[in-house]
Amino acid sequence: MKKRKKIWISLLVIIVIGFIIPQNLEMPVKGATKSDYNSKSFWFFPWGKSITHKGVDIFAKKRTSINSSTSGLVLYSGSISIGGKVVVILGPKWRLHYYAHLNQIKTSPFSFVTKNHTIGTVGSSGNAAGKSSHLHYSILTMFPYLWRIDSDKQGWKKMFYLNPIKYFKN
């Protein structure tokens, strides 16, 4: 029984530490400014197969560097149908940072990256094929923010998705 209690206490400490680590996000696309994305694109409806746009598209020239916006653990780097070449990083506050439509991936799963570490380049892979090169960037929380649910299309999913634009410094 003591061993089980120690495990639960250890898990609780790890969870709390994850929330305490400061986030301090940086713009992931090298050299991008407010003019490179639409500040009203988060939670835009209608948006293709995903119904609602749950992130921000940051436009840049193909092969522009994409840097990690935060320090964290790379959980996945590879290809999926809609996102194309993607990278998923677990960062502070138990948030997942999703980078999609990359031209090239420059990191590997289970590696630790620091803020501003190059993780890939801007592209148009996945369902962005044939469109302007851009990075689709989303932030998801693993702990639901129930108070964010509203009556928008797919509004119940707002408990998991955070607006990345609110975290950009520029």
Side-chain angles (χ1 to χ4, degrees):
M1 196 64 158
K2 282 185 175 183
K3 187 176 183 179
R4 208 178 247 173
K5 187 176 179 180
K6 284 183 179 181
I7 291 171
W8 280 109
I9 290 171
S10 297
L11 285 172
L12 183 61
V13 168
I14 290 169
I15 290 170
V16 169
I17 289 172
F19 280 110
I20 293 172
I21 298 169
Q23 187 168 246
N24 303 324
L25 298 181
E26 296 287 336
M27 165 61 74
V29 176
K30 187 174 183 176
T33 65
K34 287 182 180 182
S35 63
D36 296 310
Y37 61 87
N38 182 339
S39 63
K40 296 178 182 174
S41 65
F42 179 75
W43 222 264
F44 187 84
F45 170 82
W47 199 273
K49 289 182 182 178
S50 61
I51 301 169
T52 304
H53 195 241
K54 300 168 191 80
V56 61
D57 291 341
I58 306 165
F59 293 87
K61 289 182 180 179
K62 188 174 184 177
R63 296 185 192 90
T64 299
S65 290
I66 297 171
N67 300 322
S68 179
S69 61
T70 187
S71 296
L73 178 67
V74 177
L75 296 180
Y76 180 79
S77 62
S79 294
I80 59 174
S81 61
I82 292 176
K85 293 179 182 174
V86 303
V87 173
V88 178
I89 297 174
L90 175 61
K93 313 233 179 280
W94 298 103
R95 293 178 178 165
L96 298 171
H97 298 262
Y98 174 76
Y99 305 82
H101 308 310
L102 280 63
N103 179 61
Q104 184 178 22
I105 295 172
K106 295 187 175 188
T107 191
S108 56
F110 307 113
S111 59
F112 187 82
V113 294
T114 56
K115 189 177 359 177
N116 294 322
H117 177 96
T118 301
I119 59 170
T121 60
V122 173
S124 57
S125 59
N127 68 352
K131 299 176 184 166
S132 297
S133 295
H134 67 281
L135 168 68
H136 174 86
Y137 178 58
S138 293
I139 304 172
L140 295 93
T141 177
M142 295 187 345
F143 291 88
Y145 296 1
L146 298 173
W147 60 90
R148 299 198 59 219
I149 297 171
D150 65 20
S151 61
D152 283 352
K153 262 304 189 203
Q154 296 185 336
W156 68 272
K157 290 184 179 180
K158 283 185 178 179
M159 69 177 145
F160 297 109
Y161 288 89
L162 304 177
N163 184 351
I165 298 166
K166 289 183 178 182
Y167 298 97
F168 294 158
K169 292 179 184 175
N170 59 358

